[in-house]
Amino acid sequence: MTNRPAITDMVAQLTRPHHHAEPYTYEAGGTSYTQRHLVHAPALLDQLQHATPLTGSDHTRSGYTSRPAASIEALDTWARIDIEAARWVRDLGEDDPGDTKHCVRYLGSLLPSTETCGSNPRPDCCARHAIERDIRRWWTQARIVSGWDTAAWKPNNTCPLCATRGSLRIRIDGANDVSAMCIECRETWDIENIPLLAEHIKIENHEEDAA
């Protein structure tokens, strides 16, 4: 599976323009080849603010252009990141800089000085690991919901945590890069635990087929 980026890289992608590689396949001499097309992508937080809903037939976007209607899911994700990042900055005794991207960058710069329990990360073990988990969650959510390059798959399944049907959003960016989130409880899945979600969907679909 594709390696997950470092926290510093996630902060950079959330707050600064970056390069995004889109896979494509072509045939030559009876053989299929897969290559990656490098495109310049806006900051993920900017993508959330300028996103429009994509239908199932909208697979890619050729450029970053103005769009007539904002995606409610994307704006909701952006607002939640704004609130959560500002809360962390204040909890660390600093002033909220006001701007969402500045706040996330500031939080990333504060991370090395936060309290840590060592090398056994758990969600609530210490401030550093809790912040890292939130940054990973924001990065995953932003990639899935923005819809800037690829529309998220919306299976008719329940979330294994909150049991809400139709709330799952799954991003498939090549066979080895799959991530997901629930827009209801905000849980995320990435390369480390996506097999658990896949198994839940598989079992649920088999149960429904049997019924």
Side-chain angles (χ1 to χ4, degrees), residues 10-11 13-15 43-49 73-90 96 98-105 107 131 133-146 181 186 188:
M10 291 182 182
V11 170
Q13 290 182 23
L14 281 164
T15 61
L44 287 171
L45 288 170
D46 286 337
Q47 292 180 35
L48 291 176
Q49 287 188 287
E73 290 180 7
L75 287 179
D76 180 60
T77 300
W78 173 82
R80 288 172 182 268
I81 293 172
D82 178 75
I83 292 169
E84 293 173 7
R87 183 184 298 127
W88 268 121
V89 169
R90 291 193 299 269
D96 173 10
D99 177 81
T100 308
K101 288 192 292 184
H102 290 169
C103 193
V104 172
R105 276 201 298 267
L107 181 61
I131 294 171
R133 182 182 187 277
D134 278 349
I135 292 174
R136 283 193 294 268
R137 186 164 51 83
W138 301 338
W139 179 78
T140 300
Q141 291 175 354
R143 292 181 75 218
I144 293 169
V145 175
S146 70
M181 69 171 288
R186 315 305 294 184
T188 59

Side-chain angles (χ1 to χ4, degrees), residues 47-59 61 67-75 144-148 150-152 154 169:
Q47 292 180 35
L48 291 176
Q49 287 188 287
H50 295 84
T52 54
L54 297 183
T55 65
S57 60
D58 292 328
H59 297 297
R61 294 295 186 186
R67 294 174 187 154
S71 163
I72 293 176
E73 290 180 7
L75 287 179
I144 293 169
V145 175
S146 70
W148 182 78
T150 305
K154 304 176 182 179
R169 301 292 182 265

